[in-house]
Amino acid sequence: MERLLVAGNTADGFVNLFGDFIKGSRTTYLKGGSGVGKSTFIREFAKRAEDLGYETIKVPCSSDINSLDAVKVLGLNLVMLDATSPHVFEPELYGITGDIFDIGKHLNPDVLAPKTGILRELLDTKKQAYKCMYNELHCVKKQYENIDNLYNAYFDDDAFNNLCKKAFESLDLTCSDSKIKAFVDYIAGDGYHNIAGEYVQGRQIVYISGRSSFAKYSLLEYIASRLDKKKVRYESYYTLLNPKKLFAIGLKNVFLMCSDNGEGFDTDICFNMSRVQSDIPLLLEHRHCINYNLKRAGDYYMRSRVAHTEIEKAYLPAMDFAALEREKQIYLDKLFDKNIDLT
């Protein structure tokens, strides 16, 4: 798996799953402001590992898909993580479970000091943009809930229970290789993106389709509860539009995911669709609102990125990158030359 979305800007605000990602690994926690080179260092860490023949899992930044927030080196069980806001982390046992690498110590405060006022303004702009973006995503979540409420008036419990049993009994219950937790989607300046397909990795796709999110999420939750009872390890994937609900489940040979349509299990059979017809105008209105709110979420995302870029420009001249480069290379040499199996 080349990349994994382990954090997200969601309908419930910023949500991260880094605790599961770094668990059991020796982690380097990077500290420092915007534009000081954290993502660059993480890329160099990944390249060093890959040059040595190790596979890596890359975690894109939830606020910039082209930057990295973390990398895990498989085999050595090493992680490098951007541990600054909004995902602030510290080593549980400093020097044993992890280290802090402070890039910020290479900043010259005298160069930054004259920019204090503008930096505060830019940070306020960025925070407000994020708040507005979260509000737009929350509106999307509420629109989906309204759609579910309309459908639920015509819900057939018996049909749903039969569908759940049929779906579970059809599965190959071989455990997945790891117990991954991640998001399938993200917001960028050009709108909403779903990358669930990247996680399939050649497995058979089973679509949980239908027009009611409630029915699809509930079917996946039923399957997850049965897998837990049977102690079958599986991968859990969530959506930023409703981050507490499963959007997909990965087993060794099967990948189940929600879809509006597709071959698999159609939850529409659990509703009296002929009675739904009278609500079609309202349903279409809600769908229109969803698209509108997602577009505005992307607009607010872009506003936050503009502010972020200006913040980076302020920090760049204050950095002693030559000193940072020397320290990085020494640190990477020690980290990989030890070649300790920390599993």
Side-chain angles (χ1 to χ4, degrees):
M1 193 169 295
E2 291 188 3
R3 63 175 179 172
L4 204 64
L5 300 179
V6 185
N9 294 307
T10 81
D12 293 347
F14 178 77
V15 176
N16 83 76
L17 305 169
F18 276 113
D20 291 281
F21 183 75
I22 67 177
K23 188 175 182 180
S25 299
R26 183 182 177 94
T27 302
T28 301
Y29 300 85
L30 301 184
K31 302 291 186 179
S34 301
V36 298
K38 298 188 296 296
S39 182
T40 299
F41 191 17
I42 293 172
R43 288 188 187 281
E44 292 171 358
F45 168 77
K47 187 177 185 306
R48 177 73 70 96
E50 290 162 358
D51 287 346
L52 291 171
Y54 294 100
E55 292 183 5
T56 63
I57 297 178
K58 297 180 176 67
V59 177
C61 175
S62 56
S63 297
D64 180 5
I65 203 70
N66 297 312
S67 295
L68 291 179
D69 264 352
V71 165
K72 176 180 283 189
V73 180
L74 304 179
L76 287 181
N77 235 20
L78 295 175
V79 171
M80 184 172 283
L81 167 70
D82 180 347
T84 54
S85 180
H87 33 80
V88 180
F89 286 94
E90 305 284 344
E92 182 181 2
L93 296 171
Y94 184 80
I96 298 175
T97 61
D99 309 303
I100 292 176
F101 190 102
D102 183 11
I103 294 179
K105 70 183 180 182
H106 296 289
L107 278 168
N108 185 336
D110 293 333
V111 175
L112 274 181
K115 303 174 183 177
T116 300
I118 187 64
L119 282 171
R120 289 190 187 280
E121 289 181 13
L122 289 168
L123 284 170
D124 286 343
T125 298
K126 186 177 175 181
K127 288 176 183 177
Q128 291 303 321
Y130 272 110
K131 286 180 181 179
C132 292
M133 179 177 66
Y134 294 146
N135 285 339
E136 295 295 338
L137 293 174
H138 188 70
C139 288
V140 172
K141 179 180 177 182
K142 290 302 180 183
Q143 296 294 338
Y144 274 117
E145 288 178 1
N146 282 343
I147 290 173
D148 288 340
N149 288 334
L150 290 171
Y151 273 100
N152 288 348
Y154 315 115
F155 187 63
D156 185 331
D157 286 298
D158 291 335
F160 178 74
N161 290 333
N162 289 334
L163 181 64
C164 287
K165 292 174 184 176
K166 182 180 178 182
F168 185 78
E169 289 169 359
S170 73
L171 297 178
D172 176 349
L173 300 183
T174 306
C175 288
S176 70
D177 293 333
S178 57
K179 198 170 183 177
I180 288 169
K181 288 186 178 181
F183 287 97
V184 300
D185 46 8
Y186 65 92
I187 284 287
D190 57 348
Y192 171 81
H193 297 265
N194 186 308
I195 65 163
E198 293 187 17
Y199 300 146
V200 174
Q201 299 286 298
R203 290 175 280 192
Q204 176 195 0
I205 301 176
V206 176
Y207 291 104
I208 309 299
S209 63
R211 283 166 277 191
S212 165
S213 298
F214 161 79
K216 291 182 286 189
Y217 295 155
S218 296
L219 197 158
L220 284 174
E221 287 169 1
Y222 171 87
I223 290 172
S225 68
R226 293 293 303 274
L227 293 173
D228 289 335
K229 287 180 181 178
K230 290 182 173 291
K231 296 184 176 5
V232 176
R233 185 174 59 245
Y234 59 93
E235 302 160 16
S236 304
Y237 298 96
Y238 303 88
T239 170
L240 61 86
L241 304 179
N242 200 336
K244 294 179 182 177
K245 298 294 185 181
L246 279 170
F247 185 89
I249 290 175
L251 292 164
K252 176 72 173 178
N253 303 310
V254 180
F255 192 86
L256 302 95
M257 68 175 177
C258 292
S259 173
D260 289 338
N261 49 56
E263 294 183 7
F265 296 95
D266 185 0
T267 59
D268 281 353
I269 66 171
C270 304
F271 300 90
N272 186 332
M273 298 307 289
S274 63
R275 295 182 63 191
V276 170
Q277 297 301 312
S278 62
D279 288 327
I280 285 180
L282 272 174
L283 292 167
L284 290 175
E285 276 189 41
H286 287 305
R287 292 287 179 182
H288 174 76
C289 290
I290 286 169
N291 293 331
Y292 179 68
N293 289 130
L294 284 176
K295 180 186 180 303
R296 290 213 306 197
D299 292 341
Y300 282 118
Y301 165 86
M302 278 306 298
R303 182 177 294 188
S304 75
R305 294 310 302 166
V306 170
H308 183 83
T309 300
E310 292 303 313
I311 292 169
E312 287 184 334
K313 288 179 182 178
Y315 273 90
L316 281 171
M319 277 294 296
D320 184 346
F321 284 108
L324 171 61
E325 189 62 28
R326 290 191 294 271
E327 185 182 7
K328 286 194 303 185
Q329 294 310 312
I330 292 170
Y331 183 80
L332 290 176
D333 288 343
K334 289 181 178 179
L335 195 63
F336 286 102
D337 288 351
K338 288 180 180 178
N339 201 21
I340 300 172
D341 184 359
L342 297 169
T343 58

